[in-house]
Amino acid sequence: MKRGPFAAIVAAGLIAPATRTFAQSETRVRFGTVPVESYALAYYAIDRGSFKRAAIDIALSAFTGGGAIASGVAGGALDVGCANVGSLANAHARGLKVRIIAPCALYTTESPTTVLTVAKSSSAQSAKDLNGKTVGVSTLKDLQQASVMRWMEANGGDGKSLKFLELPISTMPAALAAGRVDAGIVLEPTLTFAKAELRIIGKVYDAIAKQLMISAHFAMDDWLEKNAGTARKIAGVLRESAQWANANHAASGAILARVAQIDPSRVEQMNRVIYADKLAPENFQPTIDALAQFGYLPQAFPANELFWVPPTA
């Protein structure tokens, strides 16, 4: 893929760049993520000084979604990014040499942060009631759409009868209220903000797996070949940040409230994300298989094809 200037991806979803400058002896890494909990490990690491202690100067840029980040990393405007597993699987299937260096957020059925909702006034109670209806998702032909299709099949509905509409998650409650969609995928913090207006009709990710990887940190093969030591340090920092965030919800919630511009009291009410601290194929494979089942990938492949294997010393 042709490498373009950073400006070329600003329109694709960049919110605002923020650069931390440290001593010249530190390695500068251009890092892209999204200021929401499922992508937040880099924010925790910066706030706690973890990258600085590892002698890494993180130039962090915030985006509205993982797709723009994947484009930025593939095009050379970013070195490392965090994106959803569906985007990374699609990039791999298209022949792009993306490699995951560290996991990020997990979905778990015990603390569901992504669900299918309807308006409180809706008469729909089951999958069958949604036959022929319109469902809102944040990205077409990705994990959310595949999960709705699987959930419909598993619960007596007809997924093929559905129409899907791509909408920003933050606008889903308004779209449901206005009748633009009959059901819609909502995730935290929107789920907490709009709980008086919405009703959960299904934990649709459960139809794929009770636990699955939502997002992961990645880089391109050529950058990793030239920066293996730095990549190891980044992976270590992110692993430590995952362990810290899981054990310190109050402290991580305070950071999240600040970077995501959420009222701290709202964060306290949210179902919180669980972060993985190791790359486990079983957390990635169900998503890859589901995407392939519905034709959103040309074919399934072993999840570990996505994983970076550090060179031996």
Side-chain angles (χ1 to χ4, degrees):
M1 180 178 290
K2 184 178 179 181
R3 292 179 179 271
F6 185 78
I9 63 168
V10 171
L14 180 63
I15 297 176
T19 302
R20 295 284 185 106
T21 303
F22 301 125
Q24 289 185 353
S25 61
E26 294 172 344
T27 302
R28 187 173 186 269
V29 175
R30 300 166 300 169
F31 198 114
T33 192
V34 184
V36 297
E37 190 174 24
S38 294
Y39 294 71
L41 284 182
Y43 286 104
Y44 302 149
I46 288 172
D47 196 89
R48 300 174 62 239
S50 301
F51 284 122
K52 183 176 181 179
R53 288 191 294 274
I56 298 172
D57 172 7
I58 289 291
L60 185 67
S61 295
F63 291 73
T64 57
I69 294 170
S71 296
V73 173
L78 297 169
D79 301 314
V80 178
C82 189
N84 69 75
V85 172
S87 293
L88 297 178
N90 269 292
H92 176 78
R94 296 200 312 270
L96 296 177
K97 296 188 181 299
V98 298
R99 294 290 180 265
I100 294 172
I101 63 172
C104 195
L106 278 169
Y107 166 87
T108 66
T109 188
E110 294 83 12
S111 182
T113 54
T114 303
V115 293
L116 183 65
T117 66
V118 294
K120 275 280 179 70
S121 58
S122 172
S123 61
Q125 300 291 330
S126 68
K128 289 181 180 180
D129 295 334
L130 295 181
N131 286 344
K133 304 297 186 181
T134 300
V135 178
V137 294
S138 65
T139 306
L140 294 173
K141 296 185 177 181
D142 207 334
L143 173 59
Q144 291 181 9
Q145 186 168 340
S147 70
V148 173
M149 295 288 285
R150 275 271 188 96
W151 178 80
M152 291 286 287
E153 288 182 353
N155 291 278
D158 179 8
K160 293 179 181 178
S161 73
L162 297 176
K163 304 176 188 70
F164 287 92
L165 182 64
E166 185 171 296
L167 294 169
I169 292 298
S170 61
T171 68
M172 204 68 72
L176 286 164
R180 292 181 61 203
V181 293
D182 301 290
I185 292 286
V186 175
L187 55 149
E188 296 289 11
T190 302
L191 182 60
T192 295
F193 292 162
K195 63 183 179 181
E197 307 162 38
L198 306 178
R199 174 166 50 84
I200 296 173
I201 193 171
K203 296 193 292 183
V204 289
Y205 280 5
D206 281 14
I208 295 178
K210 301 295 185 182
Q211 176 173 294
L212 58 82
M213 192 62 58
I214 299 171
S215 53
H217 302 89
F218 69 103
M220 300 300 290
D221 259 355
D222 58 352
W223 185 87
L224 289 167
E225 288 173 5
K226 298 171 185 175
N227 300 275
T230 299
R232 279 195 187 94
K233 290 181 181 179
I234 292 171
V237 166
L238 294 170
R239 180 172 59 251
E240 186 275 335
S241 295
Q243 294 167 345
W244 173 85
N246 288 340
N248 295 274
H249 273 182
S252 64
I255 298 171
L256 178 65
R258 186 168 67 252
V259 301
Q261 299 181 356
I262 304 171
D263 188 320
S265 65
R266 296 279 190 175
V267 176
E268 293 174 1
Q269 300 172 42
M270 288 166 42
N271 282 336
R272 297 293 301 276
V273 159
I274 295 171
Y275 297 103
D277 61 2
K278 63 180 179 180
L279 291 175
E282 60 269 23
N283 290 331
F284 292 81
Q285 197 65 53
T287 295
I288 294 169
D289 293 344
L291 293 174
Q293 176 186 349
F294 297 108
Y296 307 155
L297 289 178
Q299 60 185 17
F301 58 85
N304 58 14
E305 288 185 7
L306 283 169
F307 299 168
W308 178 56
V309 179
T312 56

